[in-house]
Amino acid sequence: MCEVNDDQIRNHVRNHYQKIALSVVGSNSCCGGANCCSPEGNGQPFAEEISQKMGYSLEELKNIPNGANMGLGCGNPQAIADLKEGETVLDLGSGGGFDCFLASKKVGSNGKVIGVDMTPEMISKARSLAEKNDYRNVEFRLGEIENLPVADGIVDVIISNCVINLSPNKKRVFEEAYRVLKSGGRLAISDIVLTAGLPEEFKSDMQLYSGCVSGASTIEQLYKLMEQAGFKNIIIVSKDESKEFIKEWDSERRLEEYIVSAIIRAEK
C-alpha cells in the first residue's frame, strides 16, 4: 500500500462507509472504483436492482426493512449459508443490517443474529431499523473484524459480504472467525478475489481500497490463511458471471480484468 499503514487504511475505510451510512443509496454499488458511492443517487429501487444482479431474490429484497439495503456487496452469502432454525449467526461487516435481517427470519425466534461493524453510523442505522421493525433476535455490535466483540465458540455460522478484502490484516480476521465458531461451525462468505496482478497505481489508490479492489487477495492466499487459522473443508470458487456487474464499478479502469467475486466456504 505504498507506505500507508494499517490504521490509515482502517480510518479511510471507516470514513468512506460513514459517508454512505449518512447518505442516500449511491448510484453504484459500494464495492467499486473511485466514482462509486456518491451521495447522489436514485435510492432503494436501484439498490434492489444491484442486489438482484448479485444473486438476491426479489422476495428476499421485499422482506427486509426499508433502508437496510444500500446496494453494497458482491454476492449473496445467504445462498450458501444453509441457515437453520435456532442457529447463531455472525455477520462480519454488517453495515445497515441487510444480511442480518434476512438471516433473522431463517434462524427464527430461537436463533440469534449478531452484526459487527466498525462504523458507528452503520451500527446506529442498523439498530434503529431493528428497533423500528421489531427484530428481537438481532443485535449489532461496534467493533473490528480483526478483534471481534464476541465470546469464544458461540457461533454456528459466519456470513460476510465483500468485507474481508477491506481488512489490512486478513490473517487476524480468519483467526478471530475460527475462535468464535463452535466446533463444526462454518463460514459462508462472498468476497472479491484477485485474478491478476494489480497495476501499481491501483495498489496505492485508497479509493480503490475502500471500493473492494486494492485489498483483495488471490484464492491461493486466502486458502493458505484459512488453513493456517485451522479451517478445514475449504472451498473457494470464483464466479465469472460477477464480471458483468464489476464492469459497472469503474468502466475506465476495466476492473473485471483483475478481480472477480467468489464464494468462500469452510468448517471449524
Side-chain angles (χ1 to χ4, degrees):
M1 282 297 299
C2 295
E3 300 182 4
V4 178
N5 64 40
D6 288 1
D7 283 340
Q8 287 175 307
I9 292 171
R10 289 192 186 93
N11 287 335
H12 180 85
V13 171
R14 184 182 290 110
N15 291 338
H16 181 79
Y17 287 92
Q18 175 191 53
K19 292 176 183 177
I20 296 169
L22 295 174
S23 72
V24 298
V25 178
S27 59
N28 253 316
S29 163
C30 185
C31 288
N35 299 320
C36 75
C37 295
S38 63
E40 300 80 17
N42 47 9
Q44 195 70 20
F46 197 83
E48 289 183 357
E49 179 184 338
I50 292 169
S51 296
Q52 286 184 74
K53 291 181 181 179
M54 293 177 188
Y56 291 93
S57 69
L58 189 58
E59 182 180 0
E60 286 177 312
L61 298 174
K62 296 298 184 184
N63 282 298
I64 56 168
N66 186 40
N69 182 13
M70 293 180 281
L72 314 184
C74 58
N76 179 7
Q78 305 282 336
I80 60 171
D82 190 26
L83 300 180
K84 298 178 178 63
E85 181 85 17
E87 288 189 317
T88 296
V89 179
L90 171 63
D91 184 8
L92 305 183
S94 50
F98 177 41
D99 279 305
C100 289
F101 295 130
L102 288 175
S104 166
K105 298 180 182 299
K106 295 177 181 178
V107 301
S109 59
N110 292 324
K112 183 176 184 178
V113 182
I114 303 167
V116 172
D117 201 282
M118 70 171 181
T119 307
E121 291 77 10
M122 285 291 190
I123 292 294
S124 295
K125 182 181 183 70
R127 286 174 176 170
S128 176
L129 289 172
E131 183 177 357
K132 287 178 182 177
N133 294 275
D134 200 29
Y135 280 84
R136 300 185 182 185
N137 63 343
V138 179
E139 67 172 285
F140 296 96
R141 302 178 184 179
L142 182 65
E144 297 177 348
I145 60 175
E146 300 93 343
N147 299 284
L148 290 169
V150 180
D152 295 356
I154 68 165
V155 175
D156 294 292
V157 189
I158 291 177
I159 61 175
S160 184
N161 195 348
C162 215
V163 172
I164 295 176
N165 75 83
L166 297 170
S167 171
N169 190 349
K170 297 171 182 60
K171 179 177 182 292
R172 178 70 177 173
V173 173
F174 288 118
E175 289 172 347
E176 279 288 272
Y178 191 86
R179 175 183 66 81
V180 303
L181 279 172
K182 298 176 181 178
S183 178
R186 59 198 189 275
L187 293 179
I189 295 169
S190 177
D191 217 321
I192 289 296
V193 297
L194 282 178
T195 57
L198 291 173
E200 287 302 315
E201 62 268 25
F202 285 20
K203 296 178 183 179
S204 60
D205 189 325
M206 290 297 287
Q207 188 65 31
L208 282 182
Y209 200 103
S210 61
C212 308
V213 178
S214 301
S217 303
T218 66
I219 288 177
E220 293 76 15
Q221 288 168 336
L222 289 175
Y223 193 100
K224 183 176 180 180
L225 289 173
M226 294 169 71
E227 193 173 46
Q228 289 174 342
F231 285 100
K232 61 183 182 180
N233 299 330
I234 303 167
I235 299 173
I236 306 177
V237 180
S238 61
K239 300 182 68 176
D240 288 341
E241 62 269 28
S242 66
K243 292 181 180 181
E244 291 303 311
F245 62 76
I246 290 173
K247 285 180 182 178
E248 301 174 9
W249 291 358
D250 190 325
S251 58
E252 293 182 2
R253 289 193 267 196
R254 302 182 66 86
L255 299 177
E256 72 278 5
E257 295 181 1
Y258 306 98
I259 59 172
V260 68
S261 177
I263 58 172
I264 302 170
R265 303 178 68 176
E267 297 175 359
K268 178 173 177 177

